[in-house]
Amino acid sequence: MNILLVSQCQKKALKETRRILDQFAERVGDFTWQTAITKQGLDTLRQILRKKARKNTAVACHWIRGKDNSELLWIVGDASRFDTLGRVPTNTTQRNILRADDENDWHTIEDIRLISAMASLFHDFGKANKRFQSKLREKFNKKTSADPIRHEWISLRLFNTFIGDKCRDDQEWLQRLADNPTFPDDWQDKLTKDRLEMSAKDTAVISEGISPFKKLPPLAKVIGWLIVSHHRLPFDQNKKVACKATNAQALNKLPERVKISWCGARENATKQHIKQCWTFEYGLPSQSKAWQKWVQKLAVKMLNRRQLFTEKWFINPYVIHVSRLVLMLADHYYSSLSDPSQRVRGDKDCRLYANTTSKKQEDGADKTLNQLLDEHLIGVEKQNHAICYHLP
């Protein structure tokens, strides 16, 4: 075999590479060697180069097969210093010559991914309430009644409680998530319990709190909207229409009109059942170490994405619509998984469940507990990333 060796090494790697190549081939230039060699000898040379390779090593080997024909055999070290044919660039520049972004219309795909991912990690927090957990643990061959207050609305209230009324901007609550992703100790006292207030005699009083969107920062408002609408859009039953927003200002104020009655709350629910919806015997998924790890990592990514805090997302129906689509698809798909080998691993101490399976059991029950709640939130977030990467 007649071969040509080209070195693009730098610093100490150049000196070491010259020492090795001089033992196998004749130097025909400062950075090139040529020789006739057997296949075994060439394999030995490559093995030695790989063993001695450094950060600045870059060697390409060409097989000269005829008068006007050569073939790249291999590259050892930094392959980015050569093209796909092993050629060396004549000149380099930092200017955007190819302008690949001009042909890409997915300018907001990373924003969609991050927004829907954060909503994924909070979207089912409301399932931690006593009413929902008790319903999952009942005899599954019985037909259970619908929840007085749907878990989407409770999840939105819990998300609102974490952010707090005095949050100045989105960077503040995201930084809190990055530093310490746990709810404050007095979160139950700060939680707005719609349709339920306890009097001095510990009796239930029907009431409705102010809109959870009232004091949310812009980005949190978008995430809150995805949380409350990840099963169905809020619907004004009295007017028989969801909304009539024709301009940016109307779209921006739309969430503040959403009430608990728009989200499927039952009017004939008992006070006891309403109280159970705002009781959390087993705590929240935020106590899971696995959930904390995922949300911390995501919060740091969002803080580094400056565009998230400069754009007015709620007047961008495209971003909101696709983000909701991604969240719903990820939620439906991950909820369908019953095989533990296909799912992520949550906190082993978690006592909260997200759903049940529909397989017939030996004891006659037609369902059994399936996914832990923290595992479900993490799994939906992970599936959310996969869907976004496939969209383009």
Side-chain angles (χ1 to χ4, degrees):
M1 299 174 65
N2 192 13
I3 62 169
L4 176 70
L5 298 161
V6 180
S7 171
Q8 284 293 100
C9 302
Q10 296 178 355
K11 300 180 181 179
K12 294 182 179 179
L14 178 59
K15 182 178 180 180
E16 181 67 20
T17 303
R18 281 174 170 169
R19 184 186 66 80
I20 297 171
L21 294 179
D22 285 339
Q23 299 177 36
F24 287 83
E26 297 178 356
R27 198 185 299 192
V28 293
D30 290 338
F31 304 99
T32 54
W33 288 257
Q34 186 175 4
T35 188
I37 194 172
T38 62
K39 179 69 167 59
Q40 292 79 7
L42 187 60
D43 291 340
T44 302
L45 171 60
R46 186 183 184 188
Q47 185 178 2
I48 296 175
L49 286 173
R50 294 180 65 178
K51 185 177 180 181
K52 299 291 184 179
R54 300 169 178 261
K55 181 175 64 175
N56 293 312
T57 299
V59 179
C61 177
H62 298 266
W63 181 10
I64 303 175
R65 308 190 65 171
K67 184 177 180 181
D68 298 315
N69 187 18
S70 65
E71 176 186 346
L72 176 66
L73 293 179
W74 44 257
I75 296 176
V76 173
D78 187 2
S80 65
R81 299 184 185 178
F82 304 92
D83 67 5
T84 55
L85 298 176
R87 304 289 189 260
V88 178
T90 305
N91 203 352
T92 59
T93 180
Q94 293 184 344
R95 290 168 52 211
N96 187 8
I97 301 297
L98 297 178
R99 301 187 69 86
D101 291 341
D102 292 356
E103 301 176 6
N104 175 26
D105 59 346
W106 286 90
H107 301 298
T108 54
I109 188 63
E110 181 65 10
D111 305 301
I112 291 171
R113 185 179 73 86
L114 294 174
I115 291 171
S116 55
M118 184 58 75
S120 300
L121 290 173
F122 280 96
H123 78 285
D124 274 351
F125 259 55
K127 288 185 176 181
N129 73 77
K130 181 180 179 180
R131 173 68 180 168
F132 193 92
Q133 292 298 313
S134 298
K135 188 171 69 171
L136 290 181
R137 288 170 168 81
E138 288 174 6
K139 293 182 179 180
F140 298 111
N141 48 8
K142 284 186 177 182
K143 186 177 181 180
T144 55
S145 59
D147 294 332
I149 302 174
R150 290 181 62 88
H151 71 272
E152 303 103 283
W153 184 264
I154 301 174
S155 300
L156 175 60
R157 282 296 188 192
L158 289 168
F159 179 67
N160 182 259
T161 301
F162 173 80
I163 293 178
D165 296 333
K166 299 181 180 180
C167 184
R168 294 168 296 179
D169 51 36
D170 288 297
Q171 287 96 327
E172 182 178 329
W173 68 269
L174 283 171
Q175 190 62 56
R176 237 187 301 147
L177 270 180
D179 296 337
N180 182 23
T182 57
F183 276 58
D185 295 335
D186 58 345
W187 66 269
Q188 296 208 43
D189 298 329
K190 295 181 178 179
L191 177 63
T192 301
K193 302 176 181 179
D194 297 273
R195 299 194 171 182
L196 181 64
E197 291 180 354
M198 303 309 296
S199 66
K201 297 181 180 179
D202 197 33
T203 57
V205 179
I206 298 296
S207 66
E208 287 197 19
I210 61 173
S211 169
F213 292 98
K214 199 74 175 178
K215 296 183 179 180
L216 286 179
L219 185 61
K221 186 185 293 186
V222 174
I223 295 171
W225 171 262
L226 297 181
I227 291 172
V228 80
S229 66
H230 76 269
H231 281 297
R232 56 187 183 184
L233 286 171
F235 187 81
D236 188 351
Q237 298 178 356
N238 297 326
K239 295 184 178 181
K240 303 299 181 184
V241 65
C243 68
K244 286 185 178 180
T246 57
N247 53 49
Q249 186 177 6
L251 279 174
N252 205 32
K253 292 184 177 180
L254 171 63
E256 297 180 11
R257 296 170 50 202
V258 177
K259 304 176 183 178
I260 186 174
S261 58
W262 290 30
C263 300
R266 295 174 57 214
E267 299 295 335
N268 59 346
T270 64
K271 296 177 182 178
Q272 178 186 2
H273 288 169
I274 294 175
K275 183 179 179 181
Q276 289 177 349
C277 288
W278 299 109
T279 304
F280 303 89
E281 285 186 330
Y282 303 122
L284 296 176
S286 58
Q287 296 170 321
S288 164
K289 299 296 183 184
W291 182 89
Q292 292 176 13
K293 181 179 178 181
W294 279 80
V295 79
Q296 277 184 306
K297 187 185 299 183
L298 180 60
V300 171
K301 290 181 180 178
M302 295 182 75
L303 286 168
N304 292 332
R305 179 81 173 175
R306 308 310 302 175
Q307 182 179 339
L308 285 173
F309 312 111
T310 57
E311 298 289 336
K312 296 180 179 179
W313 296 115
F314 219 94
I315 62 175
N316 189 332
Y318 170 78
V319 170
I320 303 297
H321 183 66
V322 178
S323 298
R324 181 171 178 264
L325 179 148
V326 171
L327 173 59
M328 292 179 70
L329 182 56
D331 187 25
H332 278 265
Y333 173 75
Y334 195 81
S335 296
S336 69
L337 300 179
S338 57
D339 185 357
S341 64
Q342 296 178 311
R343 309 198 312 246
V344 299
R345 185 174 299 177
D347 197 322
K348 62 180 181 180
D349 296 327
C350 182
R351 301 171 62 190
L352 298 165
Y353 282 88
N355 49 41
T356 59
T357 60
S358 56
K359 293 182 179 179
K360 196 76 173 178
Q361 305 299 312
E362 295 179 357
D363 59 358
D366 58 357
K367 292 183 180 180
T368 185
L369 294 170
N370 187 24
Q371 298 172 355
L372 291 170
L373 186 51
D374 66 330
E375 171 214 327
H376 175 77
L377 298 173
I378 296 170
V380 173
E381 195 264 2
K382 187 176 181 180
Q383 189 62 33
N384 172 91
H385 286 277
I387 294 170
C388 283
Y389 282 127
H390 283 83
L391 282 179

PDB file of all heavy atoms in Angstrom, residues 153 195 232-239 241-243 254 257-265:
ATOM      1  N   TRP A 153     -57.046  22.008  37.978  1.00  0.00           N
ATOM      2  CA  TRP A 153     -57.216  23.278  38.700  1.00  0.00           C
ATOM      3  C   TRP A 153     -56.415  23.277  40.006  1.00  0.00           C
ATOM      4  O   TRP A 153     -55.793  24.272  40.365  1.00  0.00           O
ATOM      5  CB  TRP A 153     -58.695  23.528  38.984  1.00  0.00           C
ATOM      6  CG  TRP A 153     -58.943  24.850  39.631  1.00  0.00           C
ATOM      7  CD1 TRP A 153     -59.088  25.094  40.973  1.00  0.00           C
ATOM      8  CD2 TRP A 153     -59.032  26.120  38.984  1.00  0.00           C
ATOM      9  NE1 TRP A 153     -59.283  26.434  41.198  1.00  0.00           N
ATOM     10  CE2 TRP A 153     -59.251  27.087  39.993  1.00  0.00           C
ATOM     11  CE3 TRP A 153     -58.963  26.532  37.660  1.00  0.00           C
ATOM     12  CZ2 TRP A 153     -59.396  28.442  39.714  1.00  0.00           C
ATOM     13  CZ3 TRP A 153     -59.109  27.879  37.379  1.00  0.00           C
ATOM     14  CH2 TRP A 153     -59.320  28.824  38.391  1.00  0.00           C
ATOM     15  N   ARG A 195     -63.827  27.319  46.830  1.00  0.00           N
ATOM     16  CA  ARG A 195     -65.091  26.754  47.278  1.00  0.00           C
ATOM     17  C   ARG A 195     -65.021  26.147  48.681  1.00  0.00           C
ATOM     18  O   ARG A 195     -65.906  25.397  49.075  1.00  0.00           O
ATOM     19  CB  ARG A 195     -65.612  25.700  46.292  1.00  0.00           C
ATOM     20  CG  ARG A 195     -65.872  26.275  44.910  1.00  0.00           C
ATOM     21  CD  ARG A 195     -66.690  25.360  44.059  1.00  0.00           C
ATOM     22  NE  ARG A 195     -67.092  26.047  42.819  1.00  0.00           N
ATOM     23  CZ  ARG A 195     -67.843  25.523  41.894  1.00  0.00           C
ATOM     24  NH1 ARG A 195     -68.291  24.291  42.035  1.00  0.00           N
ATOM     25  NH2 ARG A 195     -68.177  26.209  40.817  1.00  0.00           N
ATOM     26  N   ARG A 232     -58.367  19.524  28.790  1.00  0.00           N
ATOM     27  CA  ARG A 232     -59.350  20.193  27.947  1.00  0.00           C
ATOM     28  C   ARG A 232     -59.277  21.689  28.204  1.00  0.00           C
ATOM     29  O   ARG A 232     -58.893  22.127  29.285  1.00  0.00           O
ATOM     30  CB  ARG A 232     -60.757  19.671  28.217  1.00  0.00           C
ATOM     31  CG  ARG A 232     -61.199  19.784  29.674  1.00  0.00           C
ATOM     32  CD  ARG A 232     -62.526  19.079  29.853  1.00  0.00           C
ATOM     33  NE  ARG A 232     -63.030  19.225  31.203  1.00  0.00           N
ATOM     34  CZ  ARG A 232     -64.138  18.631  31.645  1.00  0.00           C
ATOM     35  NH1 ARG A 232     -64.829  17.860  30.829  1.00  0.00           N
ATOM     36  NH2 ARG A 232     -64.537  18.803  32.888  1.00  0.00           N
ATOM     37  N   LEU A 233     -59.685  22.462  27.204  1.00  0.00           N
ATOM     38  CA  LEU A 233     -59.630  23.910  27.337  1.00  0.00           C
ATOM     39  C   LEU A 233     -60.689  24.397  28.320  1.00  0.00           C
ATOM     40  O   LEU A 233     -61.806  23.872  28.350  1.00  0.00           O
ATOM     41  CB  LEU A 233     -59.866  24.573  25.977  1.00  0.00           C
ATOM     42  CG  LEU A 233     -58.719  24.491  24.972  1.00  0.00           C
ATOM     43  CD1 LEU A 233     -59.186  24.986  23.607  1.00  0.00           C
ATOM     44  CD2 LEU A 233     -57.523  25.290  25.435  1.00  0.00           C
ATOM     45  N   PRO A 234     -60.365  25.398  29.148  1.00  0.00           N
ATOM     46  CA  PRO A 234     -61.373  26.001  30.033  1.00  0.00           C
ATOM     47  C   PRO A 234     -62.555  26.511  29.209  1.00  0.00           C
ATOM     48  O   PRO A 234     -62.368  27.110  28.148  1.00  0.00           O
ATOM     49  CB  PRO A 234     -60.608  27.145  30.705  1.00  0.00           C
ATOM     50  CG  PRO A 234     -59.182  26.727  30.647  1.00  0.00           C
ATOM     51  CD  PRO A 234     -59.038  25.975  29.358  1.00  0.00           C
ATOM     52  N   PHE A 235     -63.773  26.281  29.705  1.00  0.00           N
ATOM     53  CA  PHE A 235     -64.967  26.545  28.923  1.00  0.00           C
ATOM     54  C   PHE A 235     -66.015  27.236  29.781  1.00  0.00           C
ATOM     55  O   PHE A 235     -66.416  26.717  30.821  1.00  0.00           O
ATOM     56  CB  PHE A 235     -65.519  25.221  28.386  1.00  0.00           C
ATOM     57  CG  PHE A 235     -66.661  25.373  27.422  1.00  0.00           C
ATOM     58  CD1 PHE A 235     -66.420  25.671  26.088  1.00  0.00           C
ATOM     59  CD2 PHE A 235     -67.969  25.219  27.844  1.00  0.00           C
ATOM     60  CE1 PHE A 235     -67.462  25.803  25.200  1.00  0.00           C
ATOM     61  CE2 PHE A 235     -69.020  25.357  26.957  1.00  0.00           C
ATOM     62  CZ  PHE A 235     -68.769  25.649  25.634  1.00  0.00           C
ATOM     63  N   ASP A 236     -66.455  28.408  29.354  1.00  0.00           N
ATOM     64  CA  ASP A 236     -67.491  29.149  30.062  1.00  0.00           C
ATOM     65  C   ASP A 236     -68.842  28.522  29.732  1.00  0.00           C
ATOM     66  O   ASP A 236     -69.385  28.718  28.650  1.00  0.00           O
ATOM     67  CB  ASP A 236     -67.461  30.622  29.654  1.00  0.00           C
ATOM     68  CG  ASP A 236     -68.389  31.467  30.510  1.00  0.00           C
ATOM     69  OD1 ASP A 236     -69.164  30.884  31.282  1.00  0.00           O
ATOM     70  OD2 ASP A 236     -68.320  32.703  30.416  1.00  0.00           O
ATOM     71  N   GLN A 237     -69.394  27.757  30.682  1.00  0.00           N
ATOM     72  CA  GLN A 237     -70.624  27.027  30.418  1.00  0.00           C
ATOM     73  C   GLN A 237     -71.829  27.953  30.275  1.00  0.00           C
ATOM     74  O   GLN A 237     -72.809  27.615  29.618  1.00  0.00           O
ATOM     75  CB  GLN A 237     -70.872  26.015  31.539  1.00  0.00           C
ATOM     76  CG  GLN A 237     -69.785  24.968  31.632  1.00  0.00           C
ATOM     77  CD  GLN A 237     -70.011  23.995  32.776  1.00  0.00           C
ATOM     78  OE1 GLN A 237     -70.956  24.151  33.543  1.00  0.00           O
ATOM     79  NE2 GLN A 237     -69.147  23.007  32.892  1.00  0.00           N
ATOM     80  N   ASN A 238     -71.773  29.120  30.887  1.00  0.00           N
ATOM     81  CA  ASN A 238     -72.902  30.046  30.809  1.00  0.00           C
ATOM     82  C   ASN A 238     -73.022  30.669  29.421  1.00  0.00           C
ATOM     83  O   ASN A 238     -74.098  30.789  28.869  1.00  0.00           O
ATOM     84  CB  ASN A 238     -72.764  31.145  31.863  1.00  0.00           C
ATOM     85  CG  ASN A 238     -72.807  30.584  33.277  1.00  0.00           C
ATOM     86  OD1 ASN A 238     -73.518  29.610  33.521  1.00  0.00           O
ATOM     87  ND2 ASN A 238     -72.039  31.165  34.179  1.00  0.00           N
ATOM     88  N   LYS A 239     -71.866  31.073  28.863  1.00  0.00           N
ATOM     89  CA  LYS A 239     -71.879  31.721  27.551  1.00  0.00           C
ATOM     90  C   LYS A 239     -71.728  30.733  26.406  1.00  0.00           C
ATOM     91  O   LYS A 239     -71.806  31.100  25.246  1.00  0.00           O
ATOM     92  CB  LYS A 239     -70.770  32.773  27.484  1.00  0.00           C
ATOM     93  CG  LYS A 239     -70.970  33.931  28.454  1.00  0.00           C
ATOM     94  CD  LYS A 239     -69.887  34.979  28.267  1.00  0.00           C
ATOM     95  CE  LYS A 239     -70.112  36.166  29.215  1.00  0.00           C
ATOM     96  NZ  LYS A 239     -69.083  37.212  29.036  1.00  0.00           N
ATOM     97  N   VAL A 241     -69.166  29.421  25.170  1.00  0.00           N
ATOM     98  CA  VAL A 241     -68.038  29.738  24.296  1.00  0.00           C
ATOM     99  C   VAL A 241     -66.793  29.872  25.151  1.00  0.00           C
ATOM    100  O   VAL A 241     -66.867  30.357  26.285  1.00  0.00           O
ATOM    101  CB  VAL A 241     -68.295  31.034  23.494  1.00  0.00           C
ATOM    102  CG1 VAL A 241     -68.392  32.222  24.417  1.00  0.00           C
ATOM    103  CG2 VAL A 241     -67.198  31.258  22.457  1.00  0.00           C
ATOM    104  N   ALA A 242     -65.665  29.382  24.654  1.00  0.00           N
ATOM    105  CA  ALA A 242     -64.429  29.416  25.431  1.00  0.00           C
ATOM    106  C   ALA A 242     -63.895  30.836  25.556  1.00  0.00           C
ATOM    107  O   ALA A 242     -63.602  31.314  26.634  1.00  0.00           O
ATOM    108  CB  ALA A 242     -63.381  28.515  24.803  1.00  0.00           C
ATOM    109  N   CYS A 243     -63.755  31.549  24.446  1.00  0.00           N
ATOM    110  CA  CYS A 243     -63.235  32.916  24.495  1.00  0.00           C
ATOM    111  C   CYS A 243     -63.428  33.586  23.150  1.00  0.00           C
ATOM    112  O   CYS A 243     -63.655  32.921  22.141  1.00  0.00           O
ATOM    113  CB  CYS A 243     -61.754  32.932  24.876  1.00  0.00           C
ATOM    114  SG  CYS A 243     -60.697  32.224  23.604  1.00  0.00           S
ATOM    115  N   LEU A 254     -56.735  37.016  28.685  1.00  0.00           N
ATOM    116  CA  LEU A 254     -57.630  35.861  28.665  1.00  0.00           C
ATOM    117  C   LEU A 254     -57.523  34.976  29.912  1.00  0.00           C
ATOM    118  O   LEU A 254     -58.549  34.611  30.491  1.00  0.00           O
ATOM    119  CB  LEU A 254     -57.380  35.037  27.399  1.00  0.00           C
ATOM    120  CG  LEU A 254     -58.072  33.674  27.325  1.00  0.00           C
ATOM    121  CD1 LEU A 254     -59.591  33.860  27.327  1.00  0.00           C
ATOM    122  CD2 LEU A 254     -57.629  32.911  26.084  1.00  0.00           C
ATOM    123  N   ARG A 257     -59.627  35.599  33.133  1.00  0.00           N
ATOM    124  CA  ARG A 257     -61.075  35.368  33.116  1.00  0.00           C
ATOM    125  C   ARG A 257     -61.428  33.939  33.507  1.00  0.00           C
ATOM    126  O   ARG A 257     -62.576  33.634  33.810  1.00  0.00           O
ATOM    127  CB  ARG A 257     -61.625  35.653  31.714  1.00  0.00           C
ATOM    128  CG  ARG A 257     -61.493  37.101  31.264  1.00  0.00           C
ATOM    129  CD  ARG A 257     -61.845  37.233  29.791  1.00  0.00           C
ATOM    130  NE  ARG A 257     -63.116  36.606  29.481  1.00  0.00           N
ATOM    131  CZ  ARG A 257     -63.472  36.199  28.257  1.00  0.00           C
ATOM    132  NH1 ARG A 257     -62.623  36.349  27.253  1.00  0.00           N
ATOM    133  NH2 ARG A 257     -64.643  35.638  28.052  1.00  0.00           N
ATOM    134  N   VAL A 258     -60.444  33.041  33.481  1.00  0.00           N
ATOM    135  CA  VAL A 258     -60.712  31.622  33.742  1.00  0.00           C
ATOM    136  C   VAL A 258     -61.059  31.412  35.210  1.00  0.00           C
ATOM    137  O   VAL A 258     -60.330  31.845  36.100  1.00  0.00           O
ATOM    138  CB  VAL A 258     -59.493  30.759  33.346  1.00  0.00           C
ATOM    139  CG1 VAL A 258     -59.738  29.308  33.693  1.00  0.00           C
ATOM    140  CG2 VAL A 258     -59.199  30.915  31.860  1.00  0.00           C
ATOM    141  N   LYS A 259     -62.178  30.736  35.452  1.00  0.00           N
ATOM    142  CA  LYS A 259     -62.646  30.442  36.809  1.00  0.00           C
ATOM    143  C   LYS A 259     -62.707  28.940  37.022  1.00  0.00           C
ATOM    144  O   LYS A 259     -62.623  28.158  36.080  1.00  0.00           O
ATOM    145  CB  LYS A 259     -64.024  31.059  37.029  1.00  0.00           C
ATOM    146  CG  LYS A 259     -64.098  32.553  36.781  1.00  0.00           C
ATOM    147  CD  LYS A 259     -65.525  33.043  36.919  1.00  0.00           C
ATOM    148  CE  LYS A 259     -65.627  34.533  36.612  1.00  0.00           C
ATOM    149  NZ  LYS A 259     -67.017  35.019  36.685  1.00  0.00           N
ATOM    150  N   ILE A 260     -62.904  28.556  38.266  1.00  0.00           N
ATOM    151  CA  ILE A 260     -62.976  27.132  38.593  1.00  0.00           C
ATOM    152  C   ILE A 260     -64.175  26.483  37.917  1.00  0.00           C
ATOM    153  O   ILE A 260     -64.130  25.314  37.541  1.00  0.00           O
ATOM    154  CB  ILE A 260     -63.027  26.928  40.123  1.00  0.00           C
ATOM    155  CG1 ILE A 260     -62.944  25.439  40.458  1.00  0.00           C
ATOM    156  CG2 ILE A 260     -64.262  27.568  40.727  1.00  0.00           C
ATOM    157  CD1 ILE A 260     -62.850  25.159  41.937  1.00  0.00           C
ATOM    158  N   SER A 261     -65.254  27.255  37.716  1.00  0.00           N
ATOM    159  CA  SER A 261     -66.448  26.709  37.067  1.00  0.00           C
ATOM    160  C   SER A 261     -66.206  26.410  35.593  1.00  0.00           C
ATOM    161  O   SER A 261     -66.954  25.654  34.980  1.00  0.00           O
ATOM    162  CB  SER A 261     -67.614  27.689  37.219  1.00  0.00           C
ATOM    163  OG  SER A 261     -67.274  28.950  36.664  1.00  0.00           O
ATOM    164  N   TRP A 262     -65.158  27.008  35.011  1.00  0.00           N
ATOM    165  CA  TRP A 262     -64.808  26.744  33.612  1.00  0.00           C
ATOM    166  C   TRP A 262     -64.057  25.423  33.457  1.00  0.00           C
ATOM    167  O   TRP A 262     -63.851  24.966  32.346  1.00  0.00           O
ATOM    168  CB  TRP A 262     -63.925  27.871  33.068  1.00  0.00           C
ATOM    169  CG  TRP A 262     -64.610  29.174  32.885  1.00  0.00           C
ATOM    170  CD1 TRP A 262     -65.661  29.673  33.607  1.00  0.00           C
ATOM    171  CD2 TRP A 262     -64.288  30.173  31.918  1.00  0.00           C
ATOM    172  NE1 TRP A 262     -66.001  30.905  33.156  1.00  0.00           N
ATOM    173  CE2 TRP A 262     -65.181  31.254  32.116  1.00  0.00           C
ATOM    174  CE3 TRP A 262     -63.336  30.274  30.913  1.00  0.00           C
ATOM    175  CZ2 TRP A 262     -65.144  32.404  31.351  1.00  0.00           C
ATOM    176  CZ3 TRP A 262     -63.294  31.421  30.141  1.00  0.00           C
ATOM    177  CH2 TRP A 262     -64.192  32.480  30.348  1.00  0.00           C
ATOM    178  N   CYS A 263     -63.612  24.844  34.565  1.00  0.00           N
ATOM    179  CA  CYS A 263     -62.713  23.683  34.511  1.00  0.00           C
ATOM    180  C   CYS A 263     -63.374  22.414  35.033  1.00  0.00           C
ATOM    181  O   CYS A 263     -62.705  21.555  35.624  1.00  0.00           O
ATOM    182  CB  CYS A 263     -61.439  23.986  35.287  1.00  0.00           C
ATOM    183  SG  CYS A 263     -60.532  25.400  34.633  1.00  0.00           S
ATOM    184  N   GLY A 264     -64.663  22.299  34.864  1.00  0.00           N
ATOM    185  CA  GLY A 264     -65.351  21.049  35.175  1.00  0.00           C
ATOM    186  C   GLY A 264     -65.631  20.804  36.638  1.00  0.00           C
ATOM    187  O   GLY A 264     -65.869  19.651  37.030  1.00  0.00           O
ATOM    188  N   ALA A 265     -65.632  21.846  37.475  1.00  0.00           N
ATOM    189  CA  ALA A 265     -65.964  21.664  38.891  1.00  0.00           C
ATOM    190  C   ALA A 265     -67.446  21.316  39.033  1.00  0.00           C
ATOM    191  O   ALA A 265     -68.297  21.895  38.353  1.00  0.00           O
ATOM    192  CB  ALA A 265     -65.647  22.930  39.675  1.00  0.00           C
TER     193      ALA A 265
END
